[in-house]
Amino acid sequence: MYKFMENENGKPQTADTFMPVAGESLISMRNIWKTYQMGVEELHALRGVSFDVKKGEYVAIIGPSGSGKSTLMNLIGCLDSPSKGEYWINGHQVAEMTDDELAKIRNKEIGFVFQTFNLLARATALHNVELPLIYAGMRAGERHDKAQAALASVELGDRVMHKPNELSGGQRQRVAIARALVNHPSILLADEPTGALDTKTSMEIMALFEKLHAEGNTIIVVTHEHDIAERAHRVISIRDGEIEKDERTK
Amino acid sequence: MNFTETLKLALAAIWSHKLRSFLTLLGMIIGVTAFMVVLSLLQGFNTYVDEKIAGIGSNSFTVRRFSFEDFKNTDTIAEAQRRNKELTFEELEFIKERAQLVDKIGALALPNSAELKRGAVVMQDITISGTEPIIGDIENIDIAEGRFFSEAENNNSQRVAFIGAEVAQKLFPGGSAVGEEFTMRGIPYRVIGVQAVKGTVFGQSQDLFVKLPIKTYGANFGGLRNSRGIYFEATAKSPKLFKDAVEEVRTLMRIKRKLEFGEKDNFGILTPDAIAGLRDSILGPVFIVIIAVPGIALLVGAIVIMNIMLVAVTERTKEIGIRKSLGARQADILKQFLYESATLSAIGGTIGLILAKLLGIIISALLIPTTIPWYAAVIAIGVSAIVGILAGLFPAWKAARLDPIEALRAD
């Protein structure tokens, strides 16, 4: 009943007439479905999700495990394609892109921050940060300077030649943030960014997110922790594959 | 991602598993080494057969009492013994006067062995042969010291000798052999020249011989008959005329011996082509087996590389996921793993080549001179890289096709 009312409150779930206007929304999802075939049964991980994110927003997507929030994050991050619906990111319709086109979008438009950092263990902090630039085809000299600057901006300018196992958890996550930002993506997409960190370090990372937001970056944080979600300016709650609540908190 | 970038990545991955990479490459190394050694041995063996067994260079041919075909079986041997008369100087003169396409032609006598003495020094079983002076030119004999015979020395059956380097060194240690004397069968001979060192083949020194003017040899060793029978060696006016020169000599021989049309030759002509053909017909099947064995080693090497690349893909699933999340396309991942297996394999090929080179030096010292042709080196590294690419194809394709979400979830 509640969800039905929400639909009447101006969130159309049909995609027939939708066409985003340039500069209006950075992300537009319209009636997104994700269905998995489990033998003869169909499992709907997402059931018609629609929302927009404007440039400069700081959004938290919250929900319990099994709610479909990980599926939603994979779709936002262009790691996966929806079964049905339209998804626009920075003017690109990605719902029907090929794997290689998705790879290009991930490289240019998305900066990932993962719970377990996902740094290459054998590579230095600098090389880790350089990776997105390598796949963007940038020359070595320019790439080097940019990666150096990105690491300096997360206060790791003096740790560039360290490998991940020579850094603390908080430092590793900051390397990951530097890597996410180095190619100037449209959005910074963080999946439980403090899940592997202690409380004090978590606070430092969240403070860094606030600083990055203040500098104009668009941030989406996917989490199940309410105190992390509270830092965002807008909270989208997911339950059973549908948006339960979408409210501006700041 | 460009070439050097990917290559650097491949080298770093190989270097991070040094022992594993080395063990993986053993099959490849053994395969390439065996292949190269076998190839250089064949090369050396062929040269040996051509130069040493046939006793002629690639630009000359010989006319002999018997041909290869005469040795087919006991019947043909018996028939040839009856029909084929010994060659004569008269026949040589006949050819010399009439042949238009022959540049030089001269006679040699089949060798005997004898004992050499000089004071207390005795050398046994030394090969003694007789040649006309012109043979020095035909065989391009490399003279270290002194000179070859003159026509006058031959015509007067003078007791002069042209000797091998080892004979010179053993009979006349610490001094020049030229002008010195030694004895054979109680007759003294004066050394007029020493041949340049030829080295050893299959452990046999090629420098233990004495050459005498053919008339001296005939006079002092019991006539130029039977086991000292003569044969002719000739060169053509130009390489282009070689085949025609051979035919011309054959025709002149047939005319001189009054053979009728359709009648078989009662002499033999050996050309380098005929010798190579005979050698290949006898040894060809053996060579195929010898080459097949390193081929199997290469195949096993390729399977091992494929296996280790499959392990690498499984091990680095997470890395693949991370790279894909950062924008690596399928082609980037494919290239990364293909370069890695190709580089790995090419390193194996290079190590194999170096080992083969070292083994070649040892073989050259102990058995026969071997060389690795430059194209064989290029083929070795090229083939091993191609084997690496083929072996890496399936693992790399598997890596490239990984679902980024699944890959990121891996440990």
Side-chain angles (χ1 to χ4, degrees), chain B residues 183-195:
Chain B
T183 59
M184 273 191 294
R185 297 188 173 180
I187 300 169
Y189 294 87
R190 184 167 53 86
V191 177
I192 57 156
V194 179
Q195 184 155 352

Side-chain angles (χ1 to χ4, degrees), chain B residues 81-296:
Chain B
Q81 295 276 11
R82 205 170 51 244
R83 283 187 70 225
N84 297 15
K85 293 184 206 70
E86 297 213 22
L87 302 187
T88 63
F89 282 101
E90 203 186 322
E91 285 164 345
L92 178 63
E93 286 308 314
F94 185 81
I95 296 170
K96 228 188 252 178
E97 279 166 20
R98 289 165 180 78
Q100 300 296 309
L101 307 176
V102 170
D103 183 32
K104 296 186 183 93
I105 185 163
L108 303 89
L110 294 172
N112 273 20
S113 71
E115 193 178 272
L116 313 185
K117 277 187 192 163
R118 179 185 176 253
V121 187
V122 177
M123 295 181 82
Q124 281 174 326
D125 263 341
I126 305 301
T127 307
I128 316 295
S129 64
T131 67
E132 285 197 314
I134 197 167
I135 298 300
D137 291 337
I138 292 175
E139 288 184 357
N140 268 325
I141 287 177
D142 201 356
I143 299 165
E145 205 184 351
R147 57 176 175 81
F148 208 66
F149 318 119
S150 70
E151 288 292 343
E153 281 163 339
N154 185 39
N155 290 335
N156 298 327
S157 304
Q158 276 184 265
R159 293 196 295 269
V160 291
F162 183 81
I163 62 177
E166 198 172 335
V167 173
Q169 191 230 317
K170 289 222 169 108
L171 288 184
F172 311 101
S176 171
V178 176
E180 301 291 324
E181 284 194 346
F182 64 94
T183 59
M184 273 191 294
R185 297 188 173 180
I187 300 169
Y189 294 87
R190 184 167 53 86
V191 177
I192 57 156
V194 179
Q195 184 155 352
V197 177
K198 288 168 85 182
T200 58
V201 172
F202 288 122
Q204 298 267 308
S205 171
Q206 301 299 298
D207 300 307
L208 286 170
F209 64 85
V210 172
K211 284 185 191 337
L212 304 176
I214 193 162
K215 284 185 180 166
T216 313
Y217 180 65
N220 296 340
F221 282 79
L224 299 170
R225 290 188 307 273
N226 303 324
S227 70
R228 293 171 302 279
I230 65 167
Y231 63 99
F232 311 148
E233 187 169 345
T235 55
K237 286 208 163 124
S238 77
K240 256 172 139 181
L241 294 170
F242 189 84
K243 276 189 178 158
D244 293 334
V246 171
E247 280 315 305
E248 186 184 41
V249 169
R250 183 194 304 279
T251 309
L252 288 169
M253 278 298 288
R254 289 182 66 94
I255 293 167
K256 178 75 180 123
R257 291 191 164 191
K258 300 189 170 63
L259 295 177
E260 291 188 12
F261 183 77
E263 204 178 339
K264 242 180 74 183
D265 288 348
N266 56 1
F267 55 92
I269 292 185
L270 291 193
T271 60
D273 279 356
I275 292 160
L278 183 79
R279 177 196 69 209
D280 291 347
S281 73
I282 296 169
L283 299 175
V286 181
F287 289 173
I288 290 169
V289 173
I290 293 175
I291 287 177
V293 173
I296 292 165

